[in-house]
Amino acid sequence: MSTSARPSLRRVRGEERSLAEALRRLSPYLEGIRWRWGAGLASAMLAGLVALAIPQVIQQLVNSVLRPGGDASDVWTAVAIMTVLGVAEGALVYLRRVFILPPAAGVENRARVALFRRLQRLPVSFHDSWPSGQLLSRSVGDLSLLRRWIAFGTVMFVVSIVTIVVGLVLLFATSWVLALIYLAGAVPIMWRSFHFRNDFRAASRLSQDQAGDLATTVEESVHGIRVLKAFGRGGEALEGFRGQADTLRGTEVHKAAVLSKFISLIVALPETVIGLSLGVGIYLVATGDLTVGAVAGFFATTAVLAGPVESVGQLMGMSLSAKTAIDRHAEVMDTPVDIADPVAPRTGGATGIPGALAFRGVRFRYPDVPEGAEPLLRDITLDLRPGETMALVGLTGSGKSTLVQLVPRLYDVTAGQVLVGGRDVREYELVELRRRVSIAFEDSTLFSDSIRNNVLLGAPEQVLADPAAAQELLDLALDTAQAQFARRLPEGLDTEIGEEGLSLSGGQRQRIALARAIAARPEVLVLDDPLSALDVRTEEAVTRRLRSVLAGTTTLIVAHRPSTVALADRVAVLQDGRILDVGTHAELLARSADYRFIISSFEADRSIESVMDSGGITAMTGTEGDRA
C-alpha cells in the first residue's frame, strides 16, 4: 500500500512563478473583495501606527516629569492619551478582522468551487494519472492555507514592513547614532533571507506533495479495508503508511529547521544590537547629547518593532507556502481540457436515425503511450442498427472496455469517427451526447446518498420536475434491473447506502448502477459487463427485461458469458484491436474458430450456468443469490 513502491505523481509543473505572478493567478477569485481587503489593510496599518505613537508619548512624559519643575498632572494626561490609543488600536484590530475574514473565506470558496468544476471537466485520462489524495490535498489543505494567508499573512506582512520602516524613521529622528547601530543588524538578515526563500520554498513544495501522497494512501487503505483484513495485510499497510508518515515528518522537521534558523537570526541580531545601543545611549545621556526621555522612547519603539521584526520570517515562510499552494492549484487549473464541447456545436436533430451507433476506421492510443507505439484499437469499423442489442466479445486485453468508453467520449479517438445518430460524437455538446448515451460499468460506483438519488442521477430533468413521473421511472428502472431488494432496505428507497455503496453486495451495487443507466432513458445504452456479479438466471431475467423495456434503445454490451452472448441480436468479435467478425451467435459458432475459442474460454461460466439450470445452487444454498 505504500506509494514508495510506485511511480511518483506525474506533476505538470509550469515555469517557476514569482509571488506577484502567483497573486495574479488569484485575480478571478478576488472580484468584489479588493475594497474590503484594502479597508482591512488600512485598519491594520493604522493599528500599527497607533502602537508606534505610544513610545512617543512615553518620551514626552519622561522628559516632562524629569525636567526641573515638571508637572505631575502630565502623568495623568499621558495615561489618558495612551488609554485612548490602546482602545483605538484594539478597535482597529477588530475592524481588520471584520473587513478581511469574510472575503478571505469567499476567495477560498470560489477557488474550491472552480477547482471542483475543473475536475469535472478534465478528461478521464487526467484522473487516471493523478492520485485522488493529491487532488484532495489541493482542494482542502492548500486552499485552507491560502485563506489564512489572505486573511492574515498578506495584511500582516505589509503592515510589518510599513511598521518597521516608520519605526526606523522615528528611531533616526530620535538618535541617528543609535538608529544606525540598530539598522546594522538588518544587513545579515537581508543576506540570509535570499537563501531562506529558496530553501523554504523547496521544502514547502516537497511537504505539500508528500502530504498529498499520504492522503492517497489513507484513501486507498480505507476503500480497500475489506481486502486488507481478508488477507491479513493490515500490518504491512501500517508499515508502508508509517514509512510515508516518517518521510513527511522528516520534511516538516527540515522545513521547521530552515524557518527556525532564519527566525533565530532575526530575533538574536536585533536583541544584540539593542544591548549595544543601550550602552551607547547611556553614554550619550551622560555627555548630554541625548535626553533620558529620548532613550526611553527609543527603546519603547524598538519594543514595538520587536513583534513585526520577529514575525517577518514566519510571514515570509507563510507567503512562500501560499505561493506553493497557488502553484499546485494552478497545475490543475492549467491542465488542458482535451475533451470539451465543440467551438460551434451543431444544433438540431441527428442526421441519421436516432439510436444508430457506428464506428468508422477508429484507432485509439492512450494519451500517456508514446507516439510511435502501436495503438490499442486499430481500424475499428462496426455498425449497430437502431434498437439492436450487440454483444462485444474478446479475450482479456483485447480493448473491449476501451472501445465502449469512446461512445460517451470518456476518451477521444486517435483517428476515425464514432457516430451516434449519424453524427460524430465530437460534434455534440457533451451534455447532449451524454443525454443520448448512457453507460454502466462492471466496477459499479455509487455515491453516499439514497437509493432514490443514485438511480435518478441521470434521469431527464423534465421527469425529475414531476414527482409522480420520477417515481414511475424509478420503479421501472429498479424492476428492470431486478433491484426490488432496495424496497426491503431499512428505509426503503430513501436508505443511505454509505460511501461508494459498500454496505451493499457486489450484485446489489451492479443492479443499482444498471437501474441508474436505465433511468437515463438513453438512445444508446452501453454496458461494460455490468452483470458480472449476478447469477446466470438473474442476468437472464435482467437482459430479457431490458429488451422489453428499452425496445427502441440500441445496446452495446461487453459480454463474458455464453448466456449473455446468446441473448444478443448479433455478436462482434474483437481481437488484437480489430473487429475480426460480426454475426449471430449461431453463425459465428459455425464459421469462426477464433469465436469458438473465445466462447470456450467462458467454460467456468458455462459450468455455473449448467449448475443453475439443474437447480444445483438452489439445492446447495436454498437461494439464488448474488456472487458478492
Side-chain angles (χ1 to χ4, degrees):
M1 297 301 295
S2 171
T3 57
S4 59
R6 67 189 180 204
S8 181
L9 166 67
R10 250 178 281 160
R11 299 182 176 90
V12 187
R13 298 191 186 179
E15 298 178 359
E16 284 292 328
R17 300 179 180 89
S18 66
L19 182 59
E21 290 172 331
L23 283 173
R24 283 195 289 272
R25 289 306 307 268
L26 294 179
S27 295
Y29 314 130
L30 300 179
E31 294 300 324
I33 75 156
R34 289 182 173 86
W35 74 267
R36 294 195 61 155
W37 186 88
L41 176 62
S43 299
M45 290 181 64
L46 286 173
L49 295 177
V50 167
L52 285 173
I54 293 177
Q56 311 312 308
V57 176
I58 293 175
Q59 178 178 339
Q60 296 301 320
L61 173 63
V62 171
N63 286 335
S64 174
V65 171
L66 294 182
R67 77 175 188 272
D71 190 348
S73 64
D74 290 343
V75 175
W76 297 109
T77 302
V79 168
I81 293 174
M82 284 191 288
T83 300
V84 171
L85 290 175
V87 171
E89 183 181 3
L92 288 167
V93 170
Y94 171 77
L95 288 175
R96 171 178 66 82
R97 292 179 175 272
V98 168
F99 282 125
I100 292 291
L101 289 180
V107 170
E108 177 190 24
N109 182 63
R110 282 191 285 274
R112 185 166 289 145
V113 170
L115 181 65
F116 188 81
R117 183 186 300 114
R118 190 71 172 186
L119 291 175
Q120 298 301 305
R121 294 185 60 211
L122 284 167
V124 173
S125 58
F126 168 87
H127 295 280
D128 289 342
S129 61
W130 279 69
S132 55
Q134 286 288 345
L135 301 177
L136 181 64
S137 69
R138 281 163 165 78
S139 62
V140 179
D142 286 356
L143 295 181
S144 295
L145 170 63
L146 191 60
R147 169 181 51 80
R148 295 192 299 271
W149 179 65
I150 292 173
F152 177 77
T154 56
V155 172
M156 295 313 298
F157 189 77
V158 174
V159 169
S160 294
I161 296 300
V162 172
T163 301
I164 291 171
V165 171
V166 174
L168 287 174
V169 171
L170 293 174
L171 292 181
F172 272 97
T174 301
S175 172
W176 66 269
V177 176
L178 297 181
L180 281 177
I181 296 173
Y182 184 83
L183 189 60
V187 176
I189 293 175
M190 293 174 62
W191 174 81
R192 182 70 187 94
S193 66
F194 176 79
H195 299 282
F196 165 76
R197 181 184 61 187
N198 294 330
D199 294 344
F200 192 85
R201 181 169 55 195
S204 178
R205 176 62 197 237
L206 182 61
S207 169
Q208 287 168 272
D209 285 344
Q210 288 175 347
D213 290 337
L214 196 66
T216 298
T217 299
V218 172
E219 184 183 33
E220 289 178 347
S221 299
V222 170
H223 287 174
I225 192 65
R226 288 172 173 80
V227 176
L228 293 176
K229 287 181 176 294
F231 286 91
R233 307 301 287 182
E236 287 74 5
L238 175 60
E239 286 304 311
F241 180 82
R242 179 180 289 116
Q244 285 184 275
D246 287 345
T247 300
L248 176 59
R249 177 188 61 81
T251 303
E252 289 289 351
V253 169
H254 170 67
K255 187 171 75 169
V258 172
L259 180 60
S260 63
K261 288 177 182 177
F262 185 65
I263 292 177
S264 65
L265 177 67
I266 64 177
V267 170
L269 276 178
E271 295 294 339
T272 300
V273 297
I274 285 175
L276 180 60
S277 299
L278 178 60
V280 175
I282 293 173
Y283 171 77
L284 293 175
V285 170
T287 59
D289 293 327
L290 204 61
T291 65
V292 174
V295 173
F298 181 90
F299 287 104
T301 302
T302 60
V304 173
L305 292 179
V309 169
E310 291 176 11
S311 68
V312 164
Q314 292 179 331
L315 293 171
M316 184 179 293
M318 189 178 189
S319 297
L320 292 173
S321 295
K323 176 189 173 299
T324 299
I326 297 172
D327 288 342
R328 282 162 50 89
H329 178 76
E331 285 175 3
V332 178
M333 299 301 293
D334 289 347
T335 302
V337 179
D338 298 325
I339 297 178
D341 290 333
V343 176
R346 288 176 55 181
T347 58
T351 57
I353 302 174
L357 174 62
F359 300 84
R360 294 281 184 268
V362 168
R363 297 170 66 85
F364 177 78
R365 177 191 299 109
Y366 279 100
D368 56 351
V369 174
E371 270 305 314
E374 189 71 18
L376 176 63
L377 300 176
R378 300 185 288 278
D379 302 320
I380 299 289
T381 296
L382 184 65
D383 285 274
L384 280 75
R385 296 184 288 267
E388 178 182 30
T389 296
M390 177 175 284
L392 182 65
V393 302
L395 298 176
T396 300
S398 59
K400 302 183 298 297
S401 294
T402 300
L403 179 63
V404 298
Q405 291 185 73
L406 298 178
V407 181
R409 289 192 72 194
L410 298 183
Y411 294 95
D412 262 345
V413 297
T414 305
Q417 292 179 303
V418 178
L419 306 176
V420 170
R423 181 190 300 177
D424 192 317
V425 293
R426 290 167 293 190
E427 296 178 0
Y428 287 99
E429 290 184 343
L430 289 174
V431 172
E432 171 67 12
L433 173 64
R434 291 165 186 174
R435 184 188 65 78
R436 295 172 179 268
V437 178
S438 183
I439 186 168
F441 300 96
E442 177 182 10
D443 182 13
S444 307
T445 299
L446 302 179
F447 298 94
S448 302
D449 206 336
S450 66
I451 294 286
R452 181 186 308 277
N453 291 340
N454 268 282
V455 173
L456 295 178
L457 179 68
E461 292 185 5
Q462 62 270 25
V463 173
L464 295 177
D466 182 352
Q471 184 63 46
E472 181 180 353
L473 179 60
L474 176 64
D475 292 338
L476 178 65
L478 290 173
D479 292 342
T480 303
Q482 299 293 300
Q484 297 89 344
F485 71 88
R487 297 186 175 89
R488 300 191 294 271
L489 294 174
E491 297 179 37
L493 301 183
D494 294 316
T495 301
E496 300 281 339
I497 60 175
E499 186 176 11
E500 293 193 2
L502 292 179
S503 60
L504 304 177
S505 72
Q508 288 173 333
R509 288 198 301 273
Q510 284 195 337
R511 280 180 279 176
I512 295 298
L514 178 59
R516 179 173 60 199
I518 294 168
R521 304 310 301 262
E523 294 177 7
V524 176
L525 179 63
V526 179
L527 303 177
D528 186 5
D529 197 22
L531 307 177
S532 60
L534 304 184
D535 60 67
V536 176
R537 288 188 177 178
T538 303
E539 179 197 20
E540 181 178 351
V542 170
T543 305
R544 293 191 184 280
R545 181 75 169 140
L546 277 173
R547 292 172 66 88
S548 172
V549 172
L550 301 178
T553 299
T554 305
T555 304
L556 176 61
I557 179 169
V558 173
H560 290 98
R561 288 180 179 177
S563 55
T564 306
V565 175
L567 291 170
D569 296 316
R570 289 191 298 158
V571 182
V573 183
L574 184 64
Q575 182 171 303
D576 296 328
R578 291 186 172 89
I579 295 296
L580 188 66
D581 203 349
V582 179
T584 66
H585 175 58
E587 291 171 348
L588 293 175
L589 281 177
R591 71 176 181 237
S592 175
D594 292 291
Y595 181 68
R596 290 193 296 272
F597 176 76
I598 292 171
I599 291 297
S600 70
S601 69
F602 298 158
E603 188 62 41
D605 285 316
R606 192 184 305 178
S607 299
I608 292 174
E609 185 177 14
S610 64
V611 172
M612 290 295 299
D613 289 341
S614 66
I617 289 182
T618 304
M620 289 186 289
T621 65
T623 182
E624 296 176 0
D626 301 328
R627 295 189 307 172

